[in-house]
Amino acid sequence: MFSTTAFFAKPWVRWTLIGVVVVLAIVLPLILPEFANTTLARIGVFAVAVLGLNVLMGYTGQVSLGQIFFLGLGAYVTAYGVEQDWNIVLVFVLACLIPAVTGLLIALAAARLGGLAIAMVTIALPIVGVPLAKRLADFTGGSQGLSARFSDAPDWTGLYDDQWQLYLVLLIGGISFLLTRNLVHGKYGRAFAIVKGNEAVAGSMGISPYRYKVLAFTVASLLGGVSGFLYMVVVQYTSPETLSFGHSITLVASMVIGGAGSILGSLLGGAYYVLVPQITNIIDPGLTAVLQGAILLAVLFLLPGGLVSLPRLWRGARRGGGSTRTRPPATVAAAASLAPDVSHPPTESQERRQDT
């Protein structure tokens, strides 16, 4: 039977798909209406934020409920730098570096803690961040927040603002996704998986769980800063509401619904974060939270692996004639292969060999 996986694994197929994606990324902003460009740009912003959360929770197995804090911090650094008329390249570097260093310092103190303890530490980040942003009015604008218009299209491009902003998000977000994919599919990704599976086994193999937890938290914080910069590219305004704990919970739900431990799942999670609230508001603004909760429960029960697992589930159902049974874990299969076969009685020759 022809294997779809084998087909897509061929180099010429992969390069063709990459070429199609690049062409679409160049052409679509030019032909789509303003609303569509803005929506796609917002999806890209939060897809990067979910990607950072996925590195920490999906690939390394560490609980974090404070990713929105690093997005907000990157947004505030960007807004303040633009307000002070700093070079935009320097602003971008600081918007990435300051959240990364902050995440590193937090991880150095918290990474030795257990799952519940580190979850409580990350919960504190947005809870503390909101009043802190209000008090540091000289830097954050207080409750009024900060505006920063720096992403208008240059005259020489001949583009509209929404087109230029979408191109920026596609470029910076695309590089972020590519670098993260290389990270999680390389030796660091293998170390993350071992730490997630069993820290004791990781330690016995010479892999320091503490070191890789700190690394994952720092990478997640850095990607949070990148998404904060892109947030200001698209929204051009930030306030203490950006750091709201509710947004952080929605980011976690978006990661779960998109697919934990999946690069594509991060993109689907960003789409969920932006599109589902718009759809539920159209249905009934008063039932937004209820409908989002129902969607989350439905995905958890029907697709535990998130939306990204839907094609795999469908292929499994087709092969099994409607059955959705999954293969046993490798350890179970190995143990089963070593177990004696008692499904049939031994033959006479086998009994003779056992007697000898």
Side-chain angles (χ1 to χ4, degrees):
M1 182 182 292
F2 181 75
S3 173
T4 304
T5 304
F7 174 74
F8 284 104
K10 295 180 179 180
W12 71 269
V13 175
R14 291 203 307 268
W15 284 108
T16 301
L17 290 176
I18 292 172
V20 170
V21 171
V22 171
V23 170
L24 289 176
I26 295 174
V27 173
L28 283 180
L30 300 176
I31 61 177
L32 291 176
E34 180 180 358
F35 175 77
N37 281 340
T38 303
T39 301
L40 288 175
R42 288 173 61 87
I43 289 173
V45 169
F46 291 104
V48 174
V50 175
L51 177 66
L53 193 60
N54 226 332
V55 170
L56 187 59
M57 295 184 66
Y59 287 99
T60 318
Q62 305 305 304
V63 179
S64 175
L65 300 174
Q67 181 70 0
I68 198 68
F69 172 82
F70 299 104
L71 184 152
L73 182 57
Y76 269 119
V77 171
T78 303
Y80 182 79
V82 171
E83 190 178 60
Q84 299 299 315
D85 202 25
W86 293 348
N87 182 278
I88 194 61
V89 175
L90 175 62
V91 170
F92 174 71
V93 171
L94 291 176
C96 300
L97 190 60
I98 291 178
V101 172
T102 304
L104 173 62
L105 295 176
I106 294 171
L108 289 173
R112 296 188 186 277
L113 302 175
L116 182 59
I118 195 171
M120 297 305 295
V121 170
T122 57
I123 285 175
L125 293 176
I127 293 176
V128 172
V130 172
L132 193 63
K134 293 179 180 179
R135 288 182 177 274
L136 299 176
D138 292 339
F139 301 97
T140 65
S143 300
Q144 302 299 319
L146 291 175
S147 297
R149 293 189 61 87
F150 67 98
S151 56
D152 294 343
D155 294 336
W156 56 267
T157 62
L159 299 173
Y160 293 105
D161 291 345
D162 58 285
Q163 296 171 337
W164 176 252
Q165 291 164 7
L166 180 54
Y167 278 132
L168 290 177
V169 171
L170 289 173
L171 177 62
I172 298 174
I175 293 173
S176 300
F177 267 81
L178 180 61
L179 293 178
T180 304
R181 181 189 180 280
N182 291 339
L183 175 73
V184 299
H185 284 82
K187 64 176 183 178
Y188 291 105
R190 291 190 291 272
F192 288 159
I194 296 172
V195 170
K196 177 183 178 181
N198 193 312
E199 293 185 18
V201 172
S204 68
M205 296 176 64
I207 297 172
S208 170
Y210 176 72
R211 174 187 174 188
Y212 284 98
K213 286 181 184 179
V214 171
L215 175 62
F217 203 99
T218 305
V219 171
S221 305
L222 177 95
L223 290 171
V226 174
S227 63
F229 177 85
L230 294 177
Y231 181 85
M232 293 305 298
V233 167
V234 178
V235 180
Q236 301 181 346
Y237 170 77
T238 186
S239 70
E241 174 61 23
T242 307
L243 301 167
S244 169
F245 180 67
H247 295 323
S248 196
I249 295 297
T250 307
L251 278 179
V252 176
S254 300
M255 185 207 69
V256 173
I257 289 174
S262 168
I263 297 296
L264 178 59
S266 301
L267 188 59
L268 295 175
Y272 169 85
Y273 189 98
V274 174
L275 296 178
V276 170
Q278 295 180 359
I279 295 172
T280 54
N281 281 332
I282 293 173
I283 297 173
D284 189 341
L287 296 177
T288 297
V290 175
L291 292 174
Q292 290 185 35
I295 293 171
L296 176 60
L297 289 175
V299 171
L300 287 175
F301 279 110
L302 300 177
L303 293 170
L307 296 176
V308 75
S309 66
L310 185 59
R312 184 168 62 249
L313 186 67
W314 181 70
R315 289 196 301 267
R318 287 188 60 189
R319 292 195 189 100
S323 173
T324 57
R325 291 180 299 174
T326 57
R327 293 181 180 179
T331 53
V332 176
S337 67
L338 296 176
D341 185 3
V342 295
S343 58
H344 300 284
T347 62
E348 183 178 352
S349 60
Q350 288 173 330
E351 289 179 343
R352 200 177 296 119
R353 282 198 299 269
Q354 289 175 359
D355 292 338
T356 58

